[in-house]
Amino acid sequence: MIVGHPSLRRLQRWLDGEEDGLDRHLATCERCATRIESLETDDSVLRQPLLELLTPPEELTTRLRGGIDERMRSREDLTLLSELFGLPIRAARVMSSTSQGET
Ligand SMILES: [Zn+2]
């Protein structure tokens, strides 16, 4: 017999795998199952601002891209090497520095 419903906090803990005693209640209580679903929704909603926080502003992205372009131009030989041999840039850089050491 269900006396009461677990608190939202307990449901959250159950979602986190820290609360074992709710399995039976949730299996029989549609209301709490719905609350669990809403908790999961809230969680994904909370993630959105975090994603926006992690996404750099457009200005910064453009600036970074410009910097990368400049670097790419100065390493055109490496890019060519990696394209010729189908190697990652890092490997091409190792090859390039090795051949430079020999001359
Ligand atoms: Zn319940």
Side-chain angles (χ1 to χ4, degrees):
M1 187 76 191
I2 295 166
V3 181
H5 300 283
S7 63
L8 278 174
R9 192 173 172 159
R10 277 188 78 188
L11 291 177
Q12 185 64 61
R13 275 172 57 182
W14 181 84
L15 271 178
D16 294 340
E18 294 170 6
E19 186 77 57
D20 300 326
L22 299 181
D23 290 22
R24 182 176 288 193
H25 180 89
L26 291 171
T28 55
C29 182
E30 200 177 320
R31 187 172 154 180
C32 283
T34 310
R35 284 161 82 201
I36 283 279
E37 276 171 33
S38 78
L39 271 177
E40 284 178 318
T41 310
D42 285 351
D43 198 37
S44 63
V45 165
L46 274 172
R47 269 183 215 127
Q48 190 53 38
L50 197 70
L51 281 174
E52 282 171 19
L53 203 72
L54 291 171
T55 309
E58 201 174 322
E59 194 193 333
L60 183 67
T61 314
T62 312
R63 217 184 301 158
L64 276 172
R65 207 172 291 152
I68 287 165
D69 280 349
E70 260 176 58
R71 248 177 290 166
M72 289 300 275
R73 240 173 277 136
S74 69
R75 298 198 184 277
E76 244 171 1
D77 51 334
L78 290 182
T79 312
L80 200 69
L81 259 178
S82 77
E83 273 171 8
L84 278 173
F85 298 101
L87 293 169
I89 285 279
R90 194 175 295 182
R93 196 175 298 159
V94 170
M95 284 180 66
S96 165
S97 65
T98 308
S99 62
Q100 270 168 16
E102 278 167 6
T103 43

Short mmCIF file of all heavy atoms in Angstrom, two decimals, residues 32-57:
data_model
loop_
_atom_site.label_atom_id
_atom_site.label_comp_id
_atom_site.label_asym_id
_atom_site.label_seq_id
_atom_site.Cartn_x
_atom_site.Cartn_y
_atom_site.Cartn_z
N CYS A 32 4.29 9.23 -10.17
CA CYS A 32 5.71 9.46 -9.93
C CYS A 32 6.54 9.16 -11.18
O CYS A 32 7.58 9.78 -11.40
CB CYS A 32 6.19 8.60 -8.76
SG CYS A 32 5.67 9.29 -7.18
N ALA A 33 6.06 8.23 -12.00
CA ALA A 33 6.75 7.96 -13.26
C ALA A 33 6.72 9.22 -14.12
O ALA A 33 7.72 9.56 -14.77
CB ALA A 33 6.08 6.80 -13.98
N THR A 34 5.58 9.91 -14.11
CA THR A 34 5.46 11.16 -14.86
C THR A 34 6.39 12.21 -14.29
O THR A 34 7.02 12.98 -15.03
CB THR A 34 4.00 11.65 -14.82
OG1 THR A 34 3.14 10.59 -15.18
CG2 THR A 34 3.80 12.83 -15.76
N ARG A 35 6.48 12.24 -12.94
CA ARG A 35 7.38 13.23 -12.32
C ARG A 35 8.82 12.94 -12.70
O ARG A 35 9.61 13.87 -12.92
CB ARG A 35 7.21 13.19 -10.80
CG ARG A 35 5.92 13.88 -10.35
CD ARG A 35 5.56 13.44 -8.96
NE ARG A 35 6.31 14.19 -7.95
CZ ARG A 35 6.49 13.76 -6.70
NH1 ARG A 35 5.98 12.62 -6.32
NH2 ARG A 35 7.16 14.48 -5.84
N ILE A 36 9.17 11.66 -12.78
CA ILE A 36 10.52 11.29 -13.21
C ILE A 36 10.79 11.82 -14.62
O ILE A 36 11.84 12.39 -14.91
CB ILE A 36 10.69 9.75 -13.19
CG1 ILE A 36 10.88 9.26 -11.75
CG2 ILE A 36 11.87 9.32 -14.03
CD1 ILE A 36 12.28 9.41 -11.21
N GLU A 37 9.79 11.64 -15.48
CA GLU A 37 9.94 12.12 -16.86
C GLU A 37 10.15 13.63 -16.90
O GLU A 37 10.95 14.13 -17.66
CB GLU A 37 8.71 11.73 -17.69
CG GLU A 37 8.80 10.32 -18.23
CD GLU A 37 7.49 9.87 -18.85
OE1 GLU A 37 6.78 10.71 -19.40
OE2 GLU A 37 7.19 8.67 -18.76
N SER A 38 9.39 14.33 -16.06
CA SER A 38 9.52 15.80 -16.04
C SER A 38 10.88 16.19 -15.46
O SER A 38 11.47 17.19 -15.88
CB SER A 38 8.39 16.42 -15.22
OG SER A 38 8.63 16.28 -13.85
N LEU A 39 11.37 15.39 -14.53
CA LEU A 39 12.71 15.67 -13.99
C LEU A 39 13.75 15.52 -15.09
O LEU A 39 14.67 16.32 -15.20
CB LEU A 39 13.02 14.69 -12.86
CG LEU A 39 12.61 15.10 -11.45
CD1 LEU A 39 12.93 13.99 -10.48
CD2 LEU A 39 13.33 16.36 -11.04
N GLU A 40 13.58 14.48 -15.89
CA GLU A 40 14.53 14.26 -16.98
C GLU A 40 14.46 15.40 -17.99
O GLU A 40 15.47 15.83 -18.52
CB GLU A 40 14.24 12.92 -17.66
CG GLU A 40 14.71 11.74 -16.85
CD GLU A 40 14.37 10.42 -17.51
OE1 GLU A 40 13.27 10.28 -18.04
OE2 GLU A 40 15.22 9.52 -17.50
N THR A 41 13.27 15.89 -18.23
CA THR A 41 13.11 17.02 -19.15
C THR A 41 13.80 18.26 -18.58
O THR A 41 14.53 18.94 -19.28
CB THR A 41 11.61 17.32 -19.38
OG1 THR A 41 10.96 16.10 -19.70
CG2 THR A 41 11.42 18.33 -20.49
N ASP A 42 13.58 18.49 -17.29
CA ASP A 42 14.20 19.64 -16.65
C ASP A 42 15.72 19.57 -16.79
O ASP A 42 16.38 20.57 -17.02
CB ASP A 42 13.84 19.68 -15.15
CG ASP A 42 12.42 20.15 -14.95
OD1 ASP A 42 11.82 20.61 -15.93
OD2 ASP A 42 11.93 20.07 -13.82
N ASP A 43 16.23 18.36 -16.66
CA ASP A 43 17.67 18.18 -16.73
C ASP A 43 18.21 18.59 -18.10
O ASP A 43 19.20 19.27 -18.20
CB ASP A 43 17.99 16.71 -16.44
CG ASP A 43 19.45 16.52 -16.07
OD1 ASP A 43 19.99 17.41 -15.39
OD2 ASP A 43 20.03 15.52 -16.48
N SER A 44 17.49 18.17 -19.15
CA SER A 44 17.97 18.51 -20.50
C SER A 44 17.79 20.00 -20.77
O SER A 44 18.55 20.59 -21.53
CB SER A 44 17.22 17.68 -21.55
OG SER A 44 15.86 17.99 -21.53
N VAL A 45 16.79 20.60 -20.15
CA VAL A 45 16.60 22.04 -20.28
C VAL A 45 17.76 22.77 -19.59
O VAL A 45 18.25 23.78 -20.07
CB VAL A 45 15.24 22.46 -19.68
CG1 VAL A 45 15.18 23.97 -19.48
CG2 VAL A 45 14.10 22.00 -20.58
N LEU A 46 18.21 22.20 -18.47
CA LEU A 46 19.31 22.82 -17.74
C LEU A 46 20.61 22.73 -18.54
O LEU A 46 21.49 23.55 -18.38
CB LEU A 46 19.50 22.10 -16.40
CG LEU A 46 18.64 22.61 -15.26
CD1 LEU A 46 18.78 21.69 -14.05
CD2 LEU A 46 19.03 24.02 -14.87
N ARG A 47 20.70 21.71 -19.38
CA ARG A 47 21.94 21.53 -20.13
C ARG A 47 22.09 22.60 -21.22
O ARG A 47 23.19 22.91 -21.62
CB ARG A 47 21.96 20.14 -20.78
CG ARG A 47 22.62 19.13 -19.87
CD ARG A 47 22.71 17.79 -20.54
NE ARG A 47 22.55 16.73 -19.53
CZ ARG A 47 21.67 15.76 -19.63
NH1 ARG A 47 20.89 15.68 -20.65
NH2 ARG A 47 21.59 14.84 -18.70
N GLN A 48 20.97 23.12 -21.70
CA GLN A 48 21.01 24.07 -22.81
C GLN A 48 21.84 25.32 -22.50
O GLN A 48 22.72 25.67 -23.28
CB GLN A 48 19.58 24.44 -23.23
CG GLN A 48 19.50 25.22 -24.53
CD GLN A 48 20.23 24.54 -25.68
OE1 GLN A 48 20.21 23.31 -25.80
NE2 GLN A 48 20.91 25.32 -26.50
N PRO A 49 21.59 25.99 -21.34
CA PRO A 49 22.43 27.16 -21.02
C PRO A 49 23.89 26.79 -20.89
O PRO A 49 24.78 27.58 -21.22
CB PRO A 49 21.87 27.64 -19.68
CG PRO A 49 20.53 27.03 -19.56
CD PRO A 49 20.57 25.74 -20.33
N LEU A 50 24.14 25.58 -20.43
CA LEU A 50 25.52 25.13 -20.28
C LEU A 50 26.19 25.03 -21.64
O LEU A 50 27.33 25.43 -21.83
CB LEU A 50 25.53 23.75 -19.59
CG LEU A 50 26.85 23.30 -18.99
CD1 LEU A 50 27.20 24.13 -17.76
CD2 LEU A 50 26.77 21.83 -18.61
N LEU A 51 25.44 24.51 -22.62
CA LEU A 51 25.96 24.41 -23.97
C LEU A 51 26.26 25.79 -24.54
O LEU A 51 27.27 26.00 -25.20
CB LEU A 51 24.96 23.67 -24.87
CG LEU A 51 24.93 22.15 -24.76
CD1 LEU A 51 23.79 21.58 -25.59
CD2 LEU A 51 26.24 21.55 -25.23
N GLU A 52 25.32 26.73 -24.28
CA GLU A 52 25.52 28.09 -24.78
C GLU A 52 26.74 28.71 -24.14
O GLU A 52 27.47 29.48 -24.76
CB GLU A 52 24.28 28.93 -24.49
CG GLU A 52 23.15 28.64 -25.47
CD GLU A 52 21.87 29.32 -25.06
OE1 GLU A 52 21.93 30.26 -24.25
OE2 GLU A 52 20.81 28.90 -25.54
N LEU A 53 26.96 28.34 -22.87
CA LEU A 53 28.10 28.87 -22.14
C LEU A 53 29.40 28.36 -22.75
O LEU A 53 30.40 29.06 -22.81
CB LEU A 53 27.99 28.42 -20.67
CG LEU A 53 28.73 29.25 -19.64
CD1 LEU A 53 28.03 30.59 -19.44
CD2 LEU A 53 28.78 28.50 -18.32
N LEU A 54 29.35 27.10 -23.21
CA LEU A 54 30.56 26.48 -23.76
C LEU A 54 30.82 26.90 -25.19
O LEU A 54 31.92 26.81 -25.67
CB LEU A 54 30.42 24.95 -23.69
CG LEU A 54 30.46 24.36 -22.28
CD1 LEU A 54 30.10 22.89 -22.31
CD2 LEU A 54 31.83 24.55 -21.65
N THR A 55 29.77 27.35 -25.88
CA THR A 55 29.95 27.80 -27.25
C THR A 55 30.55 29.21 -27.26
O THR A 55 29.97 30.12 -26.70
CB THR A 55 28.59 27.83 -27.99
OG1 THR A 55 27.96 26.57 -27.82
CG2 THR A 55 28.80 28.09 -29.47
N PRO A 56 31.70 29.39 -27.85
CA PRO A 56 32.33 30.71 -27.84
C PRO A 56 31.51 31.70 -28.66
O PRO A 56 30.85 31.31 -29.62
CB PRO A 56 33.69 30.46 -28.49
CG PRO A 56 33.56 29.18 -29.23
CD PRO A 56 32.51 28.38 -28.54
N PRO A 57 31.57 32.98 -28.31
CA PRO A 57 30.87 34.01 -29.08
C PRO A 57 31.36 34.03 -30.52
O PRO A 57 32.50 33.64 -30.80
CB PRO A 57 31.24 35.32 -28.37
CG PRO A 57 31.83 34.94 -27.08
CD PRO A 57 32.30 33.52 -27.18
#
